[in-house]
Amino acid sequence: MMETELTEDIDQPLRDRLKAHPGPALLWGAGLCLLLLLEGPTYLDGLLGAIGFGLGLLPGAPGAEAFASASAFFSELPHLLSRELIPNRGYYDGSAWQGTFLGLEPKYAWLIRFLLVYVYVAVLLGWLWYGYVTFRRHYRAADWTPTDDVIDRLRSHYWGLFGLAVVVFFITMAAFAPVVGPTTAEENIEGPYSHDMQYYDADTETVETITIGEANLGSASRGSGDSNVGIWSYDDFGRFHPVGTLVSGKDLFTFLAFGARVSLFIGLGSMAIAGFIATTLALVTAYYKGVTDLIVVLTSDSVQAMPALLLVILATVVFKNHWIAELYNGAMLFILLFALIRWPGLWRAVRGPALQVGEQEWVDAARSYGQRPTVIMRKHMAPYILGYLLVYASLTLGGVIISVSALSFLGLGITAPTPEWGRAINIGQSYIASQSWHISLIPGILITLVVTGFNALSDGIRDAIDPQSEGAEGGATGAAAGGGGG
């Protein structure tokens, strides 16, 4: 009798299990809706802005302006972490700060907003994890799946968890760039002379108005003494700068936050295209083998034989005045170039697992039952190689980020005014031995940290998926000691 009930429960659809015991699912769903509503305008602004940006890349595509207008509308709505709710911009009138959150100093008001962003992300991720645990306890038919072991191994892989923390920090900075920065991209980067600000003039004891562009000229970091606005300091106009200013006087932290968006966009875009190409070719070559596999091998060898850096530099020069190079100030061109260069490496990484899956009995059985090759590849082969693709794509993504930064450092990357970390290093290299060392050193540290984070995360995922791998054999401690080698 007990075996019959257990079999019926396993065969019961998820929808019926939810109806039979809806309490935990409703509680989790209500909590998730609340968390999303707290920052609803931010998500809608980002989603609509991304759609409008994508339509804008297609010549003659309708609707781009409508989505951009809708995005601007939602960006103005108040939300939990909005700049309007927790403002850090104000001026000192000689006795107290005016215009800041609760009258606090700008650095404390900004720090509160910055920390709240990461607390919110931590709570959201924790709630998503609680949703997985709820599903596992109450609604999953099986008591155990291989995924449980993968997750448990990753949770005890300290080097991988370090990488995950760095990646989450980086993605949060990119996603919430308009909030985490002490100022906005419109004021700081795109049109500083189109925006005004107020400051207290101690000499005349009056509140004066000045354009942000003029204030930036008086806040430039170009050496030592009065020609430098360093880390965790104010400029002469009462503006707080967490990591100092650039040579132009623009806020460096805001530059880095929006630069993270560019790096993430290029990295994820190129890996998505390269991963799609690599997965498609791996499945096709594993299914058909023979001549098909030989053609792809020769093609990938030809691509990998070309000097990647020289190819990118050549393409950057050739397409300099082409319309593709104008999309997002060259970001789309780099996405296509890195996808072209990186797909052979990803293909070789998943080719072996694809060939192994192609020899399994269930693939032969599906073929004998007359299923179409596309269905066999999509349903019976692809799920078994996606984990390996994720590992090597995350490892390769760090290489793309550092490559884009290197090209920008050489003056061949993303063009101004779009912020990019490598260009900040190039701008500040003349001042590295002065008090303005922060201009080059801080972006350099961030690049190193982010690339290391992606490498560590890929190591953790690899060891979690394959417990027989070299990194997993020594346990979490051994992985941490040898991490980053990828």
Side-chain angles (χ1 to χ4, degrees), residues 204-450:
T204 61
E205 297 183 350
T206 58
V207 177
E208 304 290 341
T209 301
I210 188 175
T211 65
I212 293 178
E214 292 175 315
N216 288 344
L217 292 178
S219 306
S221 295
R222 297 179 180 177
S224 58
D226 295 336
S227 300
N228 178 67
V229 178
I231 297 177
W232 209 256
S233 61
Y234 292 91
D235 59 21
D236 293 337
F237 303 92
R239 297 179 301 176
F240 174 66
H241 302 281
V243 291
T245 62
L246 291 162
V247 174
S248 60
K250 298 177 180 179
D251 180 70
L252 178 57
F253 191 94
T254 305
F255 186 93
L256 295 175
F258 283 90
R261 282 189 163 188
V262 178
S263 299
L264 187 64
F265 176 69
I266 296 176
L268 292 180
S270 60
M271 286 301 97
I273 298 175
F276 176 78
I277 296 173
T279 303
T280 302
L281 292 179
L283 294 174
V284 170
T285 55
Y287 186 86
Y288 290 105
K289 305 180 179 67
V291 177
T292 304
D293 186 52
L294 179 61
I295 293 174
V296 178
V297 167
L298 293 175
T299 304
S300 67
D301 287 345
S302 301
V303 174
Q304 288 187 311
M306 294 184 291
L309 182 60
L310 182 61
L311 178 63
V312 172
I313 293 175
L314 179 63
T316 303
V317 175
V318 170
F319 289 94
K320 183 176 182 179
N321 297 319
H322 196 274
W323 65 270
I324 295 180
E326 298 177 358
L327 300 177
Y328 204 7
N329 291 331
M332 283 302 301
L333 176 61
F334 284 114
I335 287 177
L336 298 176
L337 287 174
F338 284 113
L340 174 65
I341 292 171
R342 301 288 182 168
W343 75 260
L346 294 180
W347 172 74
R348 288 186 175 275
V350 298
R351 175 174 175 263
L355 288 172
Q356 291 178 353
V357 174
E359 298 294 334
Q360 297 299 321
E361 294 179 355
W362 62 78
V363 175
D364 292 335
R367 189 184 292 114
S368 65
Y369 274 105
Q371 282 193 336
R372 296 191 306 273
T374 54
V375 175
I376 295 175
M377 287 185 277
R378 186 179 72 252
K379 288 187 175 182
H380 304 296
M381 296 175 64
Y384 293 90
I385 68 172
L386 292 181
Y388 295 94
L389 180 67
L390 178 62
V391 171
Y392 289 97
S394 61
L395 182 63
T396 307
L397 194 148
V400 171
I401 292 175
I402 200 169
S403 297
V404 173
S405 299
L407 290 169
S408 296
F409 176 80
L410 297 174
L412 299 172
I414 305 301
T415 58
T418 302
E420 209 287 317
W421 292 358
R423 194 165 70 251
I425 298 176
N426 182 29
I427 292 172
Q429 63 177 328
S430 301
Y431 304 97
I432 194 66
S434 68
Q435 289 183 351
S436 299
W437 52 266
H438 59 273
I439 301 175
S440 283
L441 188 59
I442 292 179
I445 292 174
L446 283 179
I447 292 171
T448 304
L449 186 62
V450 168

Side-chain angles (χ1 to χ4, degrees), residues 160 390-392 394-395 453-463 486:
L390 178 62
V391 171
Y392 289 97
S394 61
L395 182 63
F454 276 107
N455 290 351
L457 179 59
S458 66
D459 285 346
I461 297 174
R462 179 199 62 200
D463 295 342

Side-chain angles (χ1 to χ4, degrees), residues 141-219:
D143 293 332
W144 172 89
T145 67
T147 304
D148 296 342
D149 285 346
V150 172
I151 293 176
D152 290 340
R153 283 192 291 268
L154 183 59
R155 290 174 64 189
S156 61
H157 196 290
Y158 298 117
W159 179 243
L161 293 178
F162 164 76
L164 178 62
V166 172
V167 170
V168 169
F169 178 87
F170 172 65
I171 294 177
T172 301
M173 175 183 283
F176 289 89
V179 178
V180 298
T183 184
T184 64
E186 293 79 12
E187 296 179 357
N188 187 66
I189 301 171
E190 298 171 2
Y193 286 95
S194 301
H195 297 83
D196 296 330
M197 61 166 288
Q198 291 181 315
Y199 73 99
Y200 179 74
D201 190 333
D203 295 333
T204 61
E205 297 183 350
T206 58
V207 177
E208 304 290 341
T209 301
I210 188 175
T211 65
I212 293 178
E214 292 175 315
N216 288 344
L217 292 178
S219 306

